Amino acid sequence: MKSLKSKILKEGIIKGNNVLKVDNFLNHQLDIEFLNDIGKEIKERFKDYKIDKILTIEASGIAIAAIASQYFGNIPVVFAKKVKSLNLDDSIYSSKVFSYTKNIEYDVMVSKRYINEKENILIIDDFLANGQAVLALIDIIEKAKANVVGISIVIEKSFQNGAKNIINKGYKLESLVKIKSLDGKVEFIE
Amino acid sequence: MKSLKSKILKEGIIKGNNVLKVDNFLNHQLDIEFLNDIGKEIKERFKDYKIDKILTIEASGIAIAAIASQYFGNIPVVFAKKVKSLNLDDSIYSSKVFSYTKNIEYDVMVSKRYINEKENILIIDDFLANGQAVLALIDIIEKAKANVVGISIVIEKSFQNGAKNIINKGYKLESLVKIKSLDGKVEFIE
């Protein structure tokens, strides 16, 4: 997605050689017109698929998923919640995530009411790095006996393991841009 | 907002005599078509005001604010972040919040890059109860010497103190529905 590459080059800030901050339009301040372009592009990538629902994760995935849903006929969006420690509860699906960024383990949860057997679900998130959050969402969808249609990511950090792990497991992954390295400057995979 | 009252009566779940769960369309699963109706209504309530930016707070405010922005010409949305303990940092505005629901204190923060002096800012959030989160957002806007145009809330629990506190301080508050009591059933203020 060419306009996204330009936006990242113009507004993204590299921290260390690993972290790309896009707080200016995606993670803290939201550029709503640009999120609409992102939503259109996600629809384009999945136009041949039947999708009943979008699953994302709080907090940065929510705006992207909500705006994108408008290009899929306003299908429901469910956002998974992150919780430090989960009380055992029959009414939820949950999966454990280890965050390498924060060096903590947390639980991701979705109420059983909001994912139903055989539903066709598209996962949307802002970043893909180690893929832990996406793998937890896949786990939750499969526990619910629903169908993972695919995963759409705004920014894939291809030098980390997430994309490889997801593709190796046989899932359709559509990242709008893929970053080869962040060593001083942003290099994309063309 | 009549359609919101019907939606709450149909899909809301009362817990105890204090908590209204609207996970079915607002707080966990998102009804995007209905969020568009909410966005239109917020615009209608503030159509005579100049608004440069929307400020909300993670996580439940994000989708409402992002969709609503589309009715204000796609103005930027900033979502404040909740953090347990904040490192002192010159680059952020912060304010303390006590959550009566969770019985914990936390910090709300916004990067100084995303609120500028003299900007006209509309605060949007899902619920108003004790008003602690909204008062923190007002505090942050005023620290930045920006202008609080008003506050728009989807569901006001009028039997708690938040609305009174905000109105007494002289701010324009527009709640799309006002709940008088949750004692066994939802009673609205007409």
Side-chain angles (χ1 to χ4, degrees):
Chain A
M1 190 181 173
K2 205 173 160 187
S3 61
L4 177 56
K5 287 181 189 166
S6 308
K7 190 99 173 161
I8 289 169
L9 291 174
K10 200 176 154 205
E11 302 180 20
I13 295 168
I14 298 172
K15 300 263 181 188
N17 55 9
N18 199 333
V19 175
L20 175 68
K21 301 267 278 180
V22 287
D23 281 3
N24 204 45
F25 64 98
L26 197 65
N27 288 124
H28 188 12
Q29 180 167 257
L30 305 171
D31 180 333
I32 302 300
E33 193 175 348
F34 196 73
L35 288 190
N36 272 274
D37 294 342
I38 286 174
K40 273 178 229 170
E41 178 71 21
I42 294 173
K43 171 62 185 178
E44 181 62 27
R45 307 270 183 122
F46 285 91
K47 66 181 175 197
D48 298 328
Y49 293 78
K50 183 180 181 301
I51 296 171
D52 303 313
K53 192 170 272 183
I54 295 170
L55 179 63
T56 188
I57 183 163
E58 65 180 7
S60 302
I62 295 175
I64 304 161
I67 300 285
S69 155
Q70 298 174 329
Y71 298 93
F72 289 88
N74 289 328
I75 52 175
V77 171
V78 175
F79 63 90
K81 301 187 181 193
K82 295 174 185 172
V83 282
K84 272 276 170 56
S85 56
L86 200 61
N87 296 318
L88 284 178
D89 185 338
D90 275 356
S91 69
I92 60 165
Y93 297 113
S94 70
S95 190
K96 289 208 175 298
V97 172
F98 183 78
S99 165
Y100 290 92
T101 328
K102 295 181 181 166
N103 200 33
I104 51 162
E105 192 178 70
Y106 59 93
D107 287 291
V108 171
M109 60 139 288
V110 176
S111 164
K112 287 187 179 173
R113 296 162 62 98
Y114 304 125
I115 304 191
N116 303 302
E117 206 173 319
K118 293 184 184 164
E119 272 180 335
N120 297 301
I121 299 184
L122 173 63
I123 294 171
I124 291 181
D125 206 1
D126 56 342
F127 271 95
L128 180 64
N130 291 293
Q132 299 297 304
V134 166
L135 290 169
L137 296 180
I138 290 173
D139 182 40
I140 284 172
I141 293 170
E142 297 189 337
K143 280 174 177 160
K145 295 177 183 155
N147 174 34
V148 179
V149 177
I151 300 103
S152 197
I153 298 292
V154 180
I155 301 173
E156 175 188 309
K157 289 156 77 181
S158 311
F159 56 89
Q160 290 180 267
N161 289 326
K164 202 172 61 185
N165 287 344
I166 290 166
I167 292 166
N168 285 348
K169 285 174 195 278
Y171 298 103
K172 176 177 169 66
L173 173 65
E174 287 287 343
S175 302
L176 305 193
V177 299
K178 299 178 187 182
I179 292 178
K180 193 177 2 184
S181 74
L182 284 173
D183 204 359
K185 65 184 170 87
V186 185
E187 274 198 82
F188 297 104
I189 295 176
E190 295 305 325
Chain B
M1 189 181 174
K2 204 174 160 187
S3 61
L4 177 56
K5 286 182 189 165
S6 309
K7 190 100 171 160
I8 289 169
L9 291 175
K10 200 175 153 205
E11 301 181 21
I13 295 168
I14 298 172
K15 299 264 183 188
N17 55 9
N18 199 335
V19 175
L20 175 68
K21 301 267 278 180
V22 287
D23 281 2
N24 203 46
F25 65 98
L26 197 65
N27 288 123
H28 188 12
Q29 179 167 257
L30 305 171
D31 180 333
I32 302 300
E33 193 176 348
F34 196 73
L35 288 190
N36 271 275
D37 295 341
I38 286 174
K40 270 177 233 171
E41 178 71 22
I42 294 173
K43 171 63 185 177
E44 180 62 27
R45 306 271 183 124
F46 286 90
K47 67 182 175 195
D48 298 328
Y49 293 79
K50 182 180 181 302
I51 295 170
D52 302 313
K53 193 170 270 182
I54 295 169
L55 179 63
T56 186
I57 184 164
E58 64 180 8
S60 302
I62 296 174
I64 303 162
I67 300 286
S69 156
Q70 299 175 328
Y71 297 93
F72 289 87
N74 289 328
I75 53 174
V77 171
V78 175
F79 64 89
K81 301 187 181 192
K82 295 174 185 171
V83 283
K84 271 275 171 56
S85 56
L86 200 61
N87 297 318
L88 284 177
D89 185 338
D90 273 357
S91 70
I92 61 165
Y93 297 112
S94 71
S95 189
K96 289 209 174 298
V97 172
F98 183 77
S99 164
Y100 290 93
T101 328
K102 294 180 180 165
N103 200 34
I104 52 162
E105 193 179 69
Y106 60 93
D107 287 291
V108 171
M109 59 140 288
V110 176
S111 164
K112 287 187 179 175
R113 297 162 60 98
Y114 304 125
I115 303 191
N116 303 303
E117 206 174 318
K118 294 185 183 163
E119 272 180 334
N120 298 300
I121 299 183
L122 172 63
I123 294 171
I124 291 182
D125 206 2
D126 57 342
F127 271 95
L128 180 64
N130 291 292
Q132 298 298 304
V134 166
L135 291 169
L137 296 179
I138 290 173
D139 182 40
I140 284 172
I141 292 170
E142 297 190 335
K143 280 174 177 161
K145 297 179 181 150
N147 174 34
V148 179
V149 177
I151 299 104
S152 197
I153 297 292
V154 180
I155 301 173
E156 174 188 310
K157 289 155 77 181
S158 312
F159 56 90
Q160 289 179 267
N161 288 327
K164 202 172 60 185
N165 286 343
I166 290 165
I167 292 165
N168 285 349
K169 286 173 194 279
Y171 297 103
K172 176 178 168 67
L173 172 66
E174 287 287 344
S175 302
L176 305 193
V177 299
K178 299 179 187 180
I179 292 178
K180 191 175 7 182
S181 74
L182 284 172
D183 203 0
K185 66 185 171 85
V186 185
E187 274 198 83
F188 296 103
I189 295 176
E190 295 306 324

